[in-house]
PDB file of all heavy atoms in Angstrom:
ATOM      1  N   GLY A 386     -20.811  10.367  37.865  1.00  0.00           N
ATOM      2  CA  GLY A 386     -21.567  10.498  39.100  1.00  0.00           C
ATOM      3  C   GLY A 386     -21.303   9.366  40.067  1.00  0.00           C
ATOM      4  O   GLY A 386     -20.419   8.544  39.892  1.00  0.00           O
ATOM      5  N   PRO A 387     -22.068   9.291  41.162  1.00  0.00           N
ATOM      6  CA  PRO A 387     -21.865   8.264  42.175  1.00  0.00           C
ATOM      7  C   PRO A 387     -22.271   6.890  41.656  1.00  0.00           C
ATOM      8  O   PRO A 387     -22.946   6.765  40.653  1.00  0.00           O
ATOM      9  CB  PRO A 387     -22.783   8.724  43.310  1.00  0.00           C
ATOM     10  CG  PRO A 387     -23.860   9.494  42.623  1.00  0.00           C
ATOM     11  CD  PRO A 387     -23.191  10.182  41.469  1.00  0.00           C
ATOM     12  N   SER A 388     -21.859   5.881  42.361  1.00  0.00           N
ATOM     13  CA  SER A 388     -22.213   4.525  41.950  1.00  0.00           C
ATOM     14  C   SER A 388     -23.639   4.223  42.380  1.00  0.00           C
ATOM     15  O   SER A 388     -24.238   4.936  43.168  1.00  0.00           O
ATOM     16  CB  SER A 388     -21.258   3.517  42.602  1.00  0.00           C
ATOM     17  OG  SER A 388     -21.541   3.426  43.990  1.00  0.00           O
ATOM     18  N   VAL A 391     -24.932   4.113  46.106  1.00  0.00           N
ATOM     19  CA  VAL A 391     -25.428   5.270  46.853  1.00  0.00           C
ATOM     20  C   VAL A 391     -26.866   5.526  46.413  1.00  0.00           C
ATOM     21  O   VAL A 391     -27.113   5.875  45.258  1.00  0.00           O
ATOM     22  CB  VAL A 391     -24.564   6.511  46.590  1.00  0.00           C
ATOM     23  CG1 VAL A 391     -25.091   7.705  47.374  1.00  0.00           C
ATOM     24  CG2 VAL A 391     -23.115   6.231  46.941  1.00  0.00           C
ATOM     25  N   PRO A 392     -27.851   5.360  47.286  1.00  0.00           N
ATOM     26  CA  PRO A 392     -29.251   5.511  46.854  1.00  0.00           C
ATOM     27  C   PRO A 392     -29.568   6.952  46.505  1.00  0.00           C
ATOM     28  O   PRO A 392     -29.037   7.887  47.119  1.00  0.00           O
ATOM     29  CB  PRO A 392     -30.051   5.040  48.076  1.00  0.00           C
ATOM     30  CG  PRO A 392     -29.130   5.264  49.230  1.00  0.00           C
ATOM     31  CD  PRO A 392     -27.747   5.017  48.714  1.00  0.00           C
ATOM     32  N   PRO A 393     -30.434   7.174  45.538  1.00  0.00           N
ATOM     33  CA  PRO A 393     -30.816   8.545  45.204  1.00  0.00           C
ATOM     34  C   PRO A 393     -31.722   9.133  46.283  1.00  0.00           C
ATOM     35  O   PRO A 393     -32.377   8.403  47.037  1.00  0.00           O
ATOM     36  CB  PRO A 393     -31.566   8.391  43.882  1.00  0.00           C
ATOM     37  CG  PRO A 393     -32.106   7.000  43.917  1.00  0.00           C
ATOM     38  CD  PRO A 393     -31.093   6.182  44.673  1.00  0.00           C
ATOM     39  N   GLU A 394     -31.739  10.445  46.348  1.00  0.00           N
ATOM     40  CA  GLU A 394     -32.653  11.147  47.256  1.00  0.00           C
ATOM     41  C   GLU A 394     -33.917  11.506  46.480  1.00  0.00           C
ATOM     42  O   GLU A 394     -33.852  12.044  45.367  1.00  0.00           O
ATOM     43  CB  GLU A 394     -31.993  12.413  47.798  1.00  0.00           C
ATOM     44  CG  GLU A 394     -32.899  13.216  48.728  1.00  0.00           C
ATOM     45  CD  GLU A 394     -32.196  14.422  49.331  1.00  0.00           C
ATOM     46  OE1 GLU A 394     -30.950  14.500  49.214  1.00  0.00           O
ATOM     47  OE2 GLU A 394     -32.879  15.279  49.918  1.00  0.00           O
ATOM     48  N   PRO A 418     -34.021   8.067  50.979  1.00  0.00           N
ATOM     49  CA  PRO A 418     -34.115   9.382  51.636  1.00  0.00           C
ATOM     50  C   PRO A 418     -35.150  10.235  50.911  1.00  0.00           C
ATOM     51  O   PRO A 418     -35.161  10.284  49.678  1.00  0.00           O
ATOM     52  CB  PRO A 418     -32.701   9.965  51.484  1.00  0.00           C
ATOM     53  CG  PRO A 418     -31.827   8.818  51.122  1.00  0.00           C
ATOM     54  CD  PRO A 418     -32.678   7.816  50.418  1.00  0.00           C
ATOM     55  N   LEU A 458     -32.008  20.943  46.249  1.00  0.00           N
ATOM     56  CA  LEU A 458     -30.655  20.642  45.789  1.00  0.00           C
ATOM     57  C   LEU A 458     -29.599  21.311  46.653  1.00  0.00           C
ATOM     58  O   LEU A 458     -28.519  20.762  46.880  1.00  0.00           O
ATOM     59  CB  LEU A 458     -30.479  21.089  44.330  1.00  0.00           C
ATOM     60  CG  LEU A 458     -31.261  20.309  43.266  1.00  0.00           C
ATOM     61  CD1 LEU A 458     -31.033  20.915  41.893  1.00  0.00           C
ATOM     62  CD2 LEU A 458     -30.863  18.834  43.270  1.00  0.00           C
ATOM     63  N   ARG A 461     -29.222  19.053  50.083  1.00  0.00           N
ATOM     64  CA  ARG A 461     -29.301  17.606  49.915  1.00  0.00           C
ATOM     65  C   ARG A 461     -28.876  16.865  51.178  1.00  0.00           C
ATOM     66  O   ARG A 461     -27.912  17.245  51.843  1.00  0.00           O
ATOM     67  CB  ARG A 461     -28.426  17.165  48.742  1.00  0.00           C
ATOM     68  CG  ARG A 461     -29.164  17.189  47.409  1.00  0.00           C
ATOM     69  CD  ARG A 461     -28.303  16.674  46.287  1.00  0.00           C
ATOM     70  NE  ARG A 461     -27.523  17.741  45.697  1.00  0.00           N
ATOM     71  CZ  ARG A 461     -26.745  17.577  44.631  1.00  0.00           C
ATOM     72  NH1 ARG A 461     -26.646  16.400  44.057  1.00  0.00           N
ATOM     73  NH2 ARG A 461     -26.068  18.584  44.148  1.00  0.00           N
ATOM     74  N   GLN A 462     -29.609  15.819  51.509  1.00  0.00           N
ATOM     75  CA  GLN A 462     -29.286  15.025  52.697  1.00  0.00           C
ATOM     76  C   GLN A 462     -27.941  14.316  52.536  1.00  0.00           C
ATOM     77  O   GLN A 462     -27.205  14.171  53.516  1.00  0.00           O
ATOM     78  CB  GLN A 462     -30.393  14.005  52.958  1.00  0.00           C
ATOM     79  CG  GLN A 462     -31.748  14.640  53.252  1.00  0.00           C
ATOM     80  CD  GLN A 462     -32.797  13.603  53.606  1.00  0.00           C
ATOM     81  OE1 GLN A 462     -32.557  12.716  54.414  1.00  0.00           O
ATOM     82  NE2 GLN A 462     -33.972  13.713  53.003  1.00  0.00           N
ATOM     83  N   ALA A 463     -27.653  13.903  51.316  1.00  0.00           N
ATOM     84  CA  ALA A 463     -26.369  13.249  51.029  1.00  0.00           C
ATOM     85  C   ALA A 463     -25.757  13.965  49.833  1.00  0.00           C
ATOM     86  O   ALA A 463     -26.050  13.617  48.682  1.00  0.00           O
ATOM     87  CB  ALA A 463     -26.560  11.765  50.732  1.00  0.00           C
ATOM     88  N   PRO A 464     -24.945  14.996  50.079  1.00  0.00           N
ATOM     89  CA  PRO A 464     -24.337  15.727  48.955  1.00  0.00           C
ATOM     90  C   PRO A 464     -23.621  14.783  48.005  1.00  0.00           C
ATOM     91  O   PRO A 464     -22.884  13.895  48.417  1.00  0.00           O
ATOM     92  CB  PRO A 464     -23.350  16.672  49.659  1.00  0.00           C
ATOM     93  CG  PRO A 464     -23.919  16.854  51.031  1.00  0.00           C
ATOM     94  CD  PRO A 464     -24.539  15.536  51.382  1.00  0.00           C
ATOM     95  N   GLY A 465     -23.882  14.949  46.721  1.00  0.00           N
ATOM     96  CA  GLY A 465     -23.270  14.067  45.729  1.00  0.00           C
ATOM     97  C   GLY A 465     -24.144  12.919  45.291  1.00  0.00           C
ATOM     98  O   GLY A 465     -23.815  12.220  44.335  1.00  0.00           O
ATOM     99  N   ALA A 466     -25.275  12.713  45.992  1.00  0.00           N
ATOM    100  CA  ALA A 466     -26.183  11.630  45.593  1.00  0.00           C
ATOM    101  C   ALA A 466     -27.047  12.076  44.417  1.00  0.00           C
ATOM    102  O   ALA A 466     -27.315  13.264  44.223  1.00  0.00           O
ATOM    103  CB  ALA A 466     -27.076  11.229  46.765  1.00  0.00           C
ATOM    104  N   ASP A 467     -27.477  11.093  43.602  1.00  0.00           N
ATOM    105  CA  ASP A 467     -28.431  11.383  42.532  1.00  0.00           C
ATOM    106  C   ASP A 467     -29.763  11.813  43.139  1.00  0.00           C
ATOM    107  O   ASP A 467     -30.033  11.566  44.323  1.00  0.00           O
ATOM    108  CB  ASP A 467     -28.626  10.148  41.652  1.00  0.00           C
ATOM    109  CG  ASP A 467     -27.321   9.686  41.010  1.00  0.00           C
ATOM    110  OD1 ASP A 467     -26.519  10.547  40.626  1.00  0.00           O
ATOM    111  OD2 ASP A 467     -27.115   8.455  40.916  1.00  0.00           O
ATOM    112  N   VAL A 468     -30.600  12.449  42.309  1.00  0.00           N
ATOM    113  CA  VAL A 468     -31.857  13.006  42.809  1.00  0.00           C
ATOM    114  C   VAL A 468     -33.008  12.532  41.932  1.00  0.00           C
ATOM    115  O   VAL A 468     -32.969  12.705  40.710  1.00  0.00           O
ATOM    116  CB  VAL A 468     -31.813  14.542  42.827  1.00  0.00           C
ATOM    117  CG1 VAL A 468     -33.166  15.113  43.237  1.00  0.00           C
ATOM    118  CG2 VAL A 468     -30.720  15.042  43.770  1.00  0.00           C
ATOM    119  N   LEU A 469     -34.021  11.946  42.568  1.00  0.00           N
ATOM    120  CA  LEU A 469     -35.237  11.554  41.860  1.00  0.00           C
ATOM    121  C   LEU A 469     -36.289  12.630  42.065  1.00  0.00           C
ATOM    122  O   LEU A 469     -36.768  12.838  43.185  1.00  0.00           O
ATOM    123  CB  LEU A 469     -35.762  10.212  42.379  1.00  0.00           C
ATOM    124  CG  LEU A 469     -37.081   9.755  41.734  1.00  0.00           C
ATOM    125  CD1 LEU A 469     -36.867   9.350  40.283  1.00  0.00           C
ATOM    126  CD2 LEU A 469     -37.709   8.610  42.522  1.00  0.00           C
ATOM    127  N   HIS A 486     -32.133   3.696  38.403  1.00  0.00           N
ATOM    128  CA  HIS A 486     -30.806   4.019  38.911  1.00  0.00           C
ATOM    129  C   HIS A 486     -29.729   3.221  38.182  1.00  0.00           C
ATOM    130  O   HIS A 486     -28.658   3.752  37.833  1.00  0.00           O
ATOM    131  CB  HIS A 486     -30.763   3.761  40.417  1.00  0.00           C
ATOM    132  CG  HIS A 486     -29.725   4.568  41.124  1.00  0.00           C
ATOM    133  ND1 HIS A 486     -29.238   4.245  42.368  1.00  0.00           N
ATOM    134  CD2 HIS A 486     -29.072   5.702  40.769  1.00  0.00           C
ATOM    135  CE1 HIS A 486     -28.352   5.146  42.740  1.00  0.00           C
ATOM    136  NE2 HIS A 486     -28.225   6.036  41.790  1.00  0.00           N
ATOM    137  N   HIS A 490     -26.580   4.773  35.350  1.00  0.00           N
ATOM    138  CA  HIS A 490     -25.137   4.572  35.430  1.00  0.00           C
ATOM    139  C   HIS A 490     -24.654   3.414  34.557  1.00  0.00           C
ATOM    140  O   HIS A 490     -23.534   2.940  34.724  1.00  0.00           O
ATOM    141  CB  HIS A 490     -24.728   4.344  36.887  1.00  0.00           C
ATOM    142  CG  HIS A 490     -24.977   5.548  37.745  1.00  0.00           C
ATOM    143  ND1 HIS A 490     -24.206   6.677  37.683  1.00  0.00           N
ATOM    144  CD2 HIS A 490     -25.954   5.797  38.663  1.00  0.00           C
ATOM    145  CE1 HIS A 490     -24.670   7.575  38.538  1.00  0.00           C
ATOM    146  NE2 HIS A 490     -25.739   7.068  39.137  1.00  0.00           N
ATOM    147  N   LEU A 548     -35.039  10.918  37.163  1.00  0.00           N
ATOM    148  CA  LEU A 548     -33.857  10.683  37.982  1.00  0.00           C
ATOM    149  C   LEU A 548     -32.682  11.447  37.384  1.00  0.00           C
ATOM    150  O   LEU A 548     -32.297  11.207  36.240  1.00  0.00           O
ATOM    151  CB  LEU A 548     -33.545   9.188  38.046  1.00  0.00           C
ATOM    152  CG  LEU A 548     -32.366   8.775  38.943  1.00  0.00           C
ATOM    153  CD1 LEU A 548     -32.589   9.211  40.387  1.00  0.00           C
ATOM    154  CD2 LEU A 548     -32.150   7.266  38.868  1.00  0.00           C
ATOM    155  N   LEU A 549     -32.098  12.374  38.169  1.00  0.00           N
ATOM    156  CA  LEU A 549     -31.020  13.238  37.719  1.00  0.00           C
ATOM    157  C   LEU A 549     -29.679  12.703  38.204  1.00  0.00           C
ATOM    158  O   LEU A 549     -29.524  12.348  39.377  1.00  0.00           O
ATOM    159  CB  LEU A 549     -31.202  14.663  38.238  1.00  0.00           C
ATOM    160  CG  LEU A 549     -32.527  15.362  37.936  1.00  0.00           C
ATOM    161  CD1 LEU A 549     -32.494  16.783  38.494  1.00  0.00           C
ATOM    162  CD2 LEU A 549     -32.805  15.374  36.442  1.00  0.00           C
ATOM    163  N   ASN A 550     -28.714  12.686  37.322  1.00  0.00           N
ATOM    164  CA  ASN A 550     -27.349  12.314  37.656  1.00  0.00           C
ATOM    165  C   ASN A 550     -26.711  13.453  38.455  1.00  0.00           C
ATOM    166  O   ASN A 550     -26.711  14.608  38.016  1.00  0.00           O
ATOM    167  CB  ASN A 550     -26.564  12.053  36.369  1.00  0.00           C
ATOM    168  CG  ASN A 550     -25.203  11.432  36.624  1.00  0.00           C
ATOM    169  OD1 ASN A 550     -24.521  11.765  37.573  1.00  0.00           O
ATOM    170  ND2 ASN A 550     -24.816  10.520  35.735  1.00  0.00           N
ATOM    171  N   ALA A 551     -26.152  13.152  39.611  1.00  0.00           N
ATOM    172  CA  ALA A 551     -25.563  14.194  40.462  1.00  0.00           C
ATOM    173  C   ALA A 551     -24.443  14.929  39.748  1.00  0.00           C
ATOM    174  O   ALA A 551     -24.278  16.145  39.912  1.00  0.00           O
ATOM    175  CB  ALA A 551     -25.046  13.582  41.763  1.00  0.00           C
ATOM    176  N   ALA A 552     -23.647  14.217  38.940  1.00  0.00           N
ATOM    177  CA  ALA A 552     -22.562  14.875  38.211  1.00  0.00           C
ATOM    178  C   ALA A 552     -23.109  15.863  37.193  1.00  0.00           C
ATOM    179  O   ALA A 552     -22.538  16.936  36.975  1.00  0.00           O
ATOM    180  CB  ALA A 552     -21.686  13.837  37.519  1.00  0.00           C
ATOM    181  N   VAL A 554     -25.957  17.488  37.511  1.00  0.00           N
ATOM    182  CA  VAL A 554     -26.447  18.626  38.288  1.00  0.00           C
ATOM    183  C   VAL A 554     -25.292  19.554  38.632  1.00  0.00           C
ATOM    184  O   VAL A 554     -25.405  20.787  38.535  1.00  0.00           O
ATOM    185  CB  VAL A 554     -27.158  18.145  39.570  1.00  0.00           C
ATOM    186  CG1 VAL A 554     -27.512  19.333  40.462  1.00  0.00           C
ATOM    187  CG2 VAL A 554     -28.414  17.357  39.220  1.00  0.00           C
ATOM    188  N   ASP A 555     -24.155  18.982  39.010  1.00  0.00           N
ATOM    189  CA  ASP A 555     -22.995  19.807  39.342  1.00  0.00           C
ATOM    190  C   ASP A 555     -22.496  20.580  38.132  1.00  0.00           C
ATOM    191  O   ASP A 555     -22.092  21.740  38.243  1.00  0.00           O
ATOM    192  CB  ASP A 555     -21.866  18.931  39.897  1.00  0.00           C
ATOM    193  CG  ASP A 555     -22.187  18.373  41.275  1.00  0.00           C
ATOM    194  OD1 ASP A 555     -23.075  18.941  41.950  1.00  0.00           O
ATOM    195  OD2 ASP A 555     -21.561  17.379  41.674  1.00  0.00           O
TER     196      ASP A 555
END
Side-chain angles (χ1 to χ4, degrees):
S388 72
V391 180
E394 179 176 348
L458 291 177
R461 271 183 272 185
Q462 298 184 47
D467 300 322
V468 175
L469 177 70
H486 205 199
H490 295 287
L548 183 59
L549 305 182
N550 190 322
V554 173
D555 290 340

